[in-house]
Amino acid sequence: MKELSPPPLNLRRLYTETLEWEPVLIIISPGADPSQELAELAAETIGRDNYHEISMGQGQADVALATLRECSRNGDWLCLKNLHLVTTWLPLLEKELNVLHPKAGFRLWLTAEVHPRFPPILLQSSLKITYEAPPGLKKNLLRTYESWTPEQISKGGILARAQSLFCLAWFHAVCQERRNYIPQGWTKFYEFSLSDLRAGFEIIDRLFEGGKPFQWEFVHGLLESAIYGGRIDNPSDLRILRSYLEQFFSANLLSSSLSAGQRRSRGGTRYFPPQISLPNSCSILDYRSVIENLPEDDRPAFFGLPANIERSSQRIISSQVISQLRVLSRSVATGSKFDRELWSNGLSPILHLWKKLNQGSTLIHQKVASPTEGQGSPVLSFITLEQFNAIRLVQSIHQSLAALSKVIRGTQLLTPEVQKLATALLNQECPLTWQNKWEGPEEPMQYLRAVVTRALAIESWVERAGRHALLSDTLDLAELFHPDTFLNALRQETARSMGCSMDSLVFVSSWRSPIVQAKLQVKVGGLQLEGCGFDGVHLCENQHDSPSVSAVPPCYMAWVPQNSAADSTASEESIWLPLYTSSERVKVVTHICLPCGANPNQWIQTGAALFLKQQ
């Protein structure tokens, strides 16, 4: 149904359909700013000198009203930006608009983010439009081609230039739409906007000038280091961006001798989905018709994502909904003042859980001596310290919850510390005093379970280390509070036993057999993989009904000298995947090497990553 898919927003068309007395209110979202597009339209329509722009904020009110009167008299354009910052001043703007008698050609453009105190009368008297990245790849591409003129595409009659611009539009749409699959698509929301697209267009436009041979490295370097890549701060996300640049901006893709089928897939590299065939033309209409033939809903394959990505994204969305429901379920008066009944009802589940978790264990009353600085094994020192900190954390949590329990029962006075603790717990937040000792889950009940599970598990690590059986067992790093520090302790011990510096050692991993050249190694089990499957020999694609996370075989990990590491990894194509502490993809433990076959970019784009087993 055409009505469900309205045409993309075009400011030029909007100008011709509105009159001078009607303000146009553009409601903007993060990462979307229409001011550049407006300035370009004004330059074409009335001339850049007749376009005025004011960013609203402190001290700009009088300037804005004076400029509004002047523009209205002269028939100029005025854009007032960020009105959500000055909602108390907007009634004055309403009054001014009511007494204006603008000259033909005058236009008032307003931009604002959504704000609960925005005056309804100004809203009713304005034409309201939303300015955001359109939902879906097809609408995104249509909007891009709506903003480009036929002359911009056909300039110079260079086929490779017109095709490169289509690749840029596709690349831009893929980068924006991939944000719907956080944290597997991108690990966070990056504000890719039309200004990035505009900068990309200018680069391609300049590089095709003067008939010089086209330099793809320039496009790769500028888009990766300055334009799109300049917004990215995660190395794994930057690697995904790099793989897209290699896929969409390459001489192979635009070779005029290639057939449509070859252009879609060559040497195992998929350039575009099967339904896309790059037109051999410089006409904007041919490119628009290709876009029109795309389906309305996005296929995961458009982004290189696995077929079961919907499962992963639904799992993430449902966990977000649960956390929002927790926020809604908070009591209205939480923490503001002491109310015994309210505190008792709100906090008894946490106090009961803590009691249940510690039944039958000696953690609360256990006495451990502070670890001494010795010349012993770094791994043993780490485990001793880990146990000491675990028991101290459990006992500190127990003291704070015992004080809280006494306050609720009326046997102890309320202190500021107990007040802070209760406020956080009633708000379903993990208290800062706990998080400062160990950064764990944000939700208090999950945090308590994680702490006790790890504290109990570390006891078996201490016992195995005492009888020198630790490195021969299969270990689960999820049982540690600081798994990355354990791997570093292993590095230190390896360096000590080999008599070399720690910097000369590199991290290696093996799935099939123990690492021959390693002096010390650990066998790690319980790892989980998202984005693809792995059977210990090669990676395989996920199907739409595959589980979102799958278990992988145990992995041998070690630190070896650089020269012997080069020998072991040179034999086959492989890819380094990040190992995160949890599926939220916040904290990286290390990177692990997996055999991947001929096309590593395929697995990079799936957003493949390993996690420690969730407790």
Side-chain angles (χ1 to χ4, degrees), residues 152-374:
Q152 280 178 297
I153 304 295
S154 60
K155 181 181 169 185
I158 307 165
L159 175 64
R161 181 182 174 282
Q163 290 180 340
S164 296
L165 289 176
F166 180 82
C167 293
L168 173 67
W170 185 276
F171 166 76
H172 175 75
V174 162
C175 285
Q176 285 196 324
E177 293 308 307
R178 200 177 165 99
R179 297 181 301 198
N180 293 326
Y181 302 103
I182 292 170
Q184 193 174 341
W186 302 113
T187 54
K188 65 197 304 188
F189 189 94
Y190 295 114
E191 294 189 353
F192 302 122
S193 66
L194 277 175
S195 57
D196 297 315
L197 180 71
R198 197 174 286 108
F201 179 93
E202 285 176 17
I203 288 166
I204 288 174
D205 190 40
R206 282 186 201 174
L207 287 175
F208 273 105
E209 276 174 4
K212 302 188 292 287
F214 192 75
Q215 291 168 297
W216 292 105
E217 298 77 29
F218 273 31
V219 177
H220 290 188
L222 286 168
L223 293 188
E224 181 190 327
S225 305
I227 301 167
Y228 289 86
R231 300 183 185 277
I232 293 175
D233 55 12
N234 181 302
S236 298
D237 288 342
L238 203 57
R239 193 165 65 156
I240 292 169
L241 186 84
R242 199 176 296 126
S243 77
Y244 279 145
L245 290 169
E246 288 168 11
Q247 177 178 337
F248 298 127
F249 298 100
S250 74
N252 294 342
L253 179 55
L254 303 186
S255 306
S256 52
S257 57
L258 291 185
S259 70
Q262 285 175 303
R263 205 178 277 139
R264 283 196 296 267
S265 171
R266 180 178 178 181
T269 303
R270 291 176 299 189
Y271 295 120
F272 285 115
Q275 55 268 67
I276 287 283
S277 177
L278 269 180
N280 282 319
S281 129
C282 294
S283 161
I284 195 168
L285 297 174
D286 292 334
Y287 291 94
R288 277 191 187 149
S289 69
V290 167
I291 298 165
E292 290 288 357
N293 288 332
L294 284 170
E296 291 293 334
D297 56 328
D298 293 339
R299 312 278 158 81
F302 289 176
F303 313 104
L305 288 165
N308 68 342
I309 185 72
E310 284 301 329
R311 284 185 169 209
S312 302
S313 65
Q314 282 170 16
R315 195 185 77 236
I316 298 293
I317 290 165
S318 60
S319 66
Q320 287 169 350
V321 170
I322 289 168
S323 64
Q324 286 162 355
L325 287 173
R326 282 207 184 95
V327 172
L328 290 174
S329 70
R330 293 173 185 170
S331 304
V332 182
T334 46
S336 54
K337 60 183 186 299
F338 176 56
D339 179 328
R340 180 168 289 123
E341 192 181 343
L342 190 113
W343 280 31
S344 178
N345 292 339
L347 299 171
S348 57
I350 291 173
L351 295 171
H352 287 319
L353 174 70
W354 184 246
K355 192 175 175 184
K356 188 177 167 188
L357 288 172
N358 287 291
Q359 267 174 357
S361 87
T362 57
L363 291 171
I364 296 168
H365 310 294
Q366 199 168 337
K367 287 189 167 45
V368 281
S370 179
T372 51
E373 285 287 323

Side-chain angles (χ1 to χ4, degrees), residues 326-598:
R326 282 207 184 95
V327 172
L328 290 174
S329 70
R330 293 173 185 170
S331 304
V332 182
T334 46
S336 54
K337 60 183 186 299
F338 176 56
D339 179 328
R340 180 168 289 123
E341 192 181 343
L342 190 113
W343 280 31
S344 178
N345 292 339
L347 299 171
S348 57
I350 291 173
L351 295 171
H352 287 319
L353 174 70
W354 184 246
K355 192 175 175 184
K356 188 177 167 188
L357 288 172
N358 287 291
Q359 267 174 357
S361 87
T362 57
L363 291 171
I364 296 168
H365 310 294
Q366 199 168 337
K367 287 189 167 45
V368 281
S370 179
T372 51
E373 285 287 323
Q375 295 301 308
S377 141
V379 170
L380 190 58
S381 300
F382 162 76
I383 292 164
T384 312
L385 183 63
E386 190 85 338
Q387 185 197 26
F388 174 74
N389 287 334
I391 289 168
R392 220 167 50 164
L393 175 58
V394 169
Q395 292 176 355
S396 142
I397 291 171
H398 183 68
Q399 280 172 356
S400 60
L401 290 179
L404 180 60
S405 177
K406 284 174 186 168
V407 168
I408 293 171
R409 290 202 309 270
T411 58
Q412 185 176 313
L413 289 173
L414 179 63
T415 62
E417 290 75 29
V418 172
Q419 176 85 37
K420 273 186 195 166
L421 177 76
T423 305
L425 294 177
L426 285 167
N427 284 334
Q428 306 284 339
E429 291 167 0
C430 195
L432 269 176
T433 49
W434 298 359
Q435 288 283 6
N436 289 340
K437 292 185 174 70
W438 175 62
E439 280 186 47
E442 291 292 325
E443 205 275 317
M445 288 194 166
Q446 288 176 12
Y447 186 92
L448 295 178
R449 285 193 187 97
V451 166
V452 174
T453 309
R454 285 170 171 79
L456 292 170
I458 287 168
E459 291 184 346
S460 82
W461 283 64
V462 173
E463 184 269 322
R464 283 181 287 177
R467 54 186 172 87
H468 304 291
L470 189 69
L471 299 187
S472 56
D473 270 4
T474 301
L475 303 176
D476 182 358
L477 296 183
E479 294 174 348
L480 295 174
F481 287 94
H482 305 97
D484 47 339
T485 315
F486 168 71
L487 292 175
N488 214 33
L490 182 70
R491 182 185 200 177
Q492 198 175 350
E493 188 154 331
T494 306
R496 204 175 277 184
S497 66
M498 294 181 76
C500 63
S501 74
M502 284 174 68
D503 288 348
S504 66
L505 298 176
V506 292
F507 184 77
V508 293
S509 55
S510 165
W511 297 91
R512 295 178 194 173
S513 57
I515 300 157
V516 182
Q517 64 274 35
K519 188 89 184 258
L520 296 171
Q521 61 187 304
V522 288
K523 185 181 181 184
V524 175
L527 300 181
Q528 297 181 321
L529 177 64
E530 183 177 51
C532 54
F534 181 62
D535 57 5
V537 181
H538 48 73
L539 294 174
C540 55
E541 287 186 39
N542 276 341
Q543 303 309 314
H544 67 92
D545 56 352
S546 305
S548 54
V549 175
S550 57
V552 293
C555 172
Y556 292 95
M557 300 179 189
W559 296 90
V560 299
Q562 277 170 346
N563 50 2
S564 56
D567 302 338
S568 65
T569 52
S571 55
E572 59 183 343
E573 288 280 346
S574 55
I575 180 174
W576 287 87
L577 292 185
L579 170 63
Y580 291 97
T581 51
S582 70
S583 56
E584 279 81 47
R585 304 192 182 211
V586 177
K587 194 170 183 195
V588 178
V589 178
T590 185
H591 287 75
I592 297 179
C593 190
L594 287 91
C596 70

Side-chain angles (χ1 to χ4, degrees), residues 9-12 14 24-43 48 51-55 77-84 108-113 129-133 143 147 176 192-196 198:
L9 171 71
N10 183 331
L11 293 179
R12 190 179 286 104
L14 206 62
V24 179
L25 173 62
I26 303 174
I27 299 155
I28 54 176
S29 58
D33 180 14
S35 49
Q36 183 72 35
E37 202 176 334
L38 259 177
E40 287 174 5
L41 174 63
R48 204 170 280 278
Y51 174 70
H52 309 270
E53 191 177 274
I54 298 173
S55 288
W77 285 15
L78 172 64
C79 175
L80 300 179
K81 295 163 65 177
N82 302 328
L83 293 188
H84 57 281
L108 175 62
W109 306 87
L110 311 169
T111 76
E113 289 181 18
I129 55 171
T130 54
Y131 192 90
E132 58 190 356
R143 173 166 165 185
S147 68
Q176 285 196 324
F192 302 122
S193 66
L194 277 175
S195 57
D196 297 315
R198 197 174 286 108

